[in-house]
Amino acid sequence: MYDTIFKPIKPYLKNNKQLIIIPDDVLYYLPFEVLVTQIEKKKFDRKIIFSHYQNGHFLVEQYSMSYAPSATVLEPDLLERRQRPENERLLAFGNPDFGRATEMAIQKNGDQGSDLFSLLFRSSRGLIFSPLPKTEQEIKSIVKIIQPSVYYLEQDAKEETFKQEASKYSIIHLATHCIVDETQPMYSRIVFAQDNDPSEDGFLNTYEVFNLKLNAGLVNLSACETGLGKLSRGEGIIGLTHAFMYAGASSVLVSLWSVSESTADLMKYFYLNLKSGMSKSQSLQQAKLKMIKTAGRFKNGQRLSFANPFLWAPFVLVGEWE
């Protein structure tokens, strides 16, 4: 795919290190960072899971990237900077309390209920959500890096609170479940705490996001498949990404597939880079490179390698076109 899609244009890029990718059709589902530029012949080390990925070189090693739905959005008049809060402040939501649904998910899924790999389960009453304690660790790690910050966890991670506070912050981070509806993308939704409050149902739908007034330079949707939606010719994927940018966010960090426990590490590296003064696209690039070079925890007596693209490649940055 690298030889077909990217290699023919590489001579025209000269010494540029930052790219804006405008995909077409099904290429919206492809993170270009994962294209393999070279494979080295090395001895396979069976002591490290996924070690064969460490033999490859990826396009992310050469460029930082962001994505755009069309060339139209790059018009100078459309790139006028919005009024941002004077100070960089972070608003974060994670590990919402799903109430009785959480208990049912644990009973149904056993110990996997505490794993970020957990999926949504459907019962006769509707959707049941598995708990996400790893996202609480993710949030607590991030707020130590980006200051000042405010965060809401468990029963405090309410949709109503988000709607009241979101316009005051320049960085918004949401670590929870996401439900994608590719047929009716206006009903894709982010899951907040589930309670008996009649004012909100705990689901932030795409059509509700369009009505928000945000001043954020970055909205980070740290959940599964937040970058998916309905593929529309000429407009890209219609869904939460479009909605948050319409609402005022200048860039949105979204995922193209189900995320794993390693997401917490990726996000920590990303915000450390951002804090050091890197651009958002550079911060994401360097976070991914850090993951590729990092050996993670042990599993079944073997050390995991984060070089597997499944673990570092799902997140893409849409925006930062200035």
Side-chain angles (χ1 to χ4, degrees), residues 6-60:
F6 198 85
K7 193 174 182 178
I9 68 169
K10 188 173 175 58
Y12 300 97
L13 299 178
K14 298 182 180 179
N15 295 323
N16 291 305
K17 296 298 180 182
Q18 182 173 352
L19 304 179
I20 298 174
I21 306 293
I22 304 173
D24 182 60
D25 204 70
V26 295
L27 292 180
Y28 277 99
Y29 297 106
L30 171 70
F32 276 61
E33 293 94 327
V34 80
L35 293 177
V36 178
T37 61
Q38 181 185 358
I39 298 178
E40 297 180 8
K41 294 182 178 180
K42 294 181 180 179
K43 185 177 180 180
F44 182 74
D45 185 357
R46 295 186 179 277
K47 295 181 180 179
I48 302 179
I49 303 175
F50 303 139
S51 65
H52 52 291
Y53 289 107
Q54 294 176 317
N55 297 347
H57 289 280
F58 303 95
L59 197 59
V60 69

Side-chain angles (χ1 to χ4, degrees), residues 5-246:
I5 297 174
F6 198 85
K7 193 174 182 178
I9 68 169
K10 188 173 175 58
Y12 300 97
L13 299 178
K14 298 182 180 179
N15 295 323
N16 291 305
K17 296 298 180 182
Q18 182 173 352
L19 304 179
I20 298 174
I21 306 293
I22 304 173
D24 182 60
D25 204 70
V26 295
L27 292 180
Y28 277 99
Y29 297 106
L30 171 70
F32 276 61
E33 293 94 327
V34 80
L35 293 177
V36 178
T37 61
Q38 181 185 358
I39 298 178
E40 297 180 8
K41 294 182 178 180
K42 294 181 180 179
K43 185 177 180 180
F44 182 74
D45 185 357
R46 295 186 179 277
K47 295 181 180 179
I48 302 179
I49 303 175
F50 303 139
S51 65
H52 52 291
Y53 289 107
Q54 294 176 317
N55 297 347
H57 289 280
F58 303 95
L59 197 59
V60 69
E61 298 175 43
Q62 300 178 20
Y63 303 98
S64 62
M65 304 180 199
S66 61
Y67 294 78
S70 68
T72 306
V73 300
L74 304 180
E75 290 291 333
D77 292 343
L78 297 178
L79 292 179
E80 182 179 355
R81 293 184 179 272
R82 303 174 191 267
Q83 187 66 37
R84 306 292 180 203
E86 293 183 3
N87 298 320
E88 288 286 337
R89 300 200 301 163
L90 170 71
L91 175 67
F93 289 75
N95 192 24
D97 183 359
F98 302 126
R100 174 60 180 157
T102 295
E103 298 176 18
M104 295 173 67
I106 293 176
Q107 293 172 6
K108 184 178 182 67
N109 204 31
D111 293 337
Q112 295 180 9
S114 62
D115 197 315
L116 262 177
F117 284 107
S118 300
L119 303 176
L120 307 178
F121 300 97
R122 189 175 295 276
S123 71
S124 58
R125 290 188 173 185
L127 289 172
I128 301 174
F129 304 100
S130 56
L132 298 170
K134 295 294 183 182
T135 64
E136 182 168 335
Q137 298 175 23
E138 177 181 327
I139 295 298
K140 289 183 177 179
S141 173
I142 290 169
V143 298
K144 292 178 181 178
I145 301 169
I146 304 296
Q147 291 288 341
S149 60
V150 174
Y151 65 96
Y152 297 90
L153 302 171
E154 300 178 343
Q155 62 266 35
D156 294 325
K158 296 181 179 181
E159 178 190 4
E160 181 180 11
T161 305
F162 173 79
K163 289 181 175 179
Q164 293 172 348
E165 298 295 318
S167 63
K168 305 173 186 177
Y169 293 84
S170 55
I171 302 175
I172 297 172
H173 187 100
L174 303 179
T176 179
H177 283 300
C178 177
I179 306 170
V180 177
D181 190 329
E182 294 183 300
T183 303
Q184 296 180 311
M186 291 299 104
Y187 290 94
S188 291
R189 52 204 185 274
I190 297 169
V191 186
F192 286 85
Q194 303 294 296
D195 55 28
N196 297 321
D197 187 347
S199 61
E200 299 289 353
D201 60 4
F203 297 99
L204 182 65
N205 291 276
T206 303
Y207 66 83
E208 293 179 285
V209 176
F210 274 105
N211 293 323
L212 297 176
K213 301 296 182 182
L214 301 179
N215 297 294
L218 171 67
V219 172
N220 191 340
L221 302 182
S222 180
C224 297
E225 302 179 343
T226 51
L228 300 186
K230 184 177 182 179
L231 184 60
S232 176
R233 185 172 296 276
E235 295 186 71
I237 295 178
I238 305 299
L240 288 165
T241 305
H242 271 55
F244 274 102
M245 302 200 78
Y246 182 88

Side-chain angles (χ1 to χ4, degrees), residues 138 141-142 145-146 220 253 262-276 278-280 282-296 306 311-312:
E138 177 181 327
S141 173
I142 290 169
I145 301 169
I146 304 296
N220 191 340
L253 188 60
S262 62
T263 297
D265 295 286
L266 179 69
M267 293 303 167
K268 179 181 70 174
Y269 301 146
F270 170 75
Y271 283 107
L272 284 171
N273 294 334
L274 202 62
K275 182 70 174 180
S276 72
M278 295 184 190
S279 68
K280 291 184 281 290
Q282 289 174 327
S283 296
L284 184 60
Q285 176 198 25
Q286 293 304 314
K288 291 179 176 182
L289 293 179
K290 176 77 171 179
M291 293 287 289
I292 292 172
K293 298 174 183 177
T294 299
F306 289 151
L311 302 176
W312 58 261

Side-chain angles (χ1 to χ4, degrees), residues 248-265:
S250 60
S251 61
V252 186
L253 188 60
V254 294
S255 63
L256 296 179
W257 58 75
S258 296
V259 299
S260 69
E261 287 184 349
S262 62
T263 297
D265 295 286

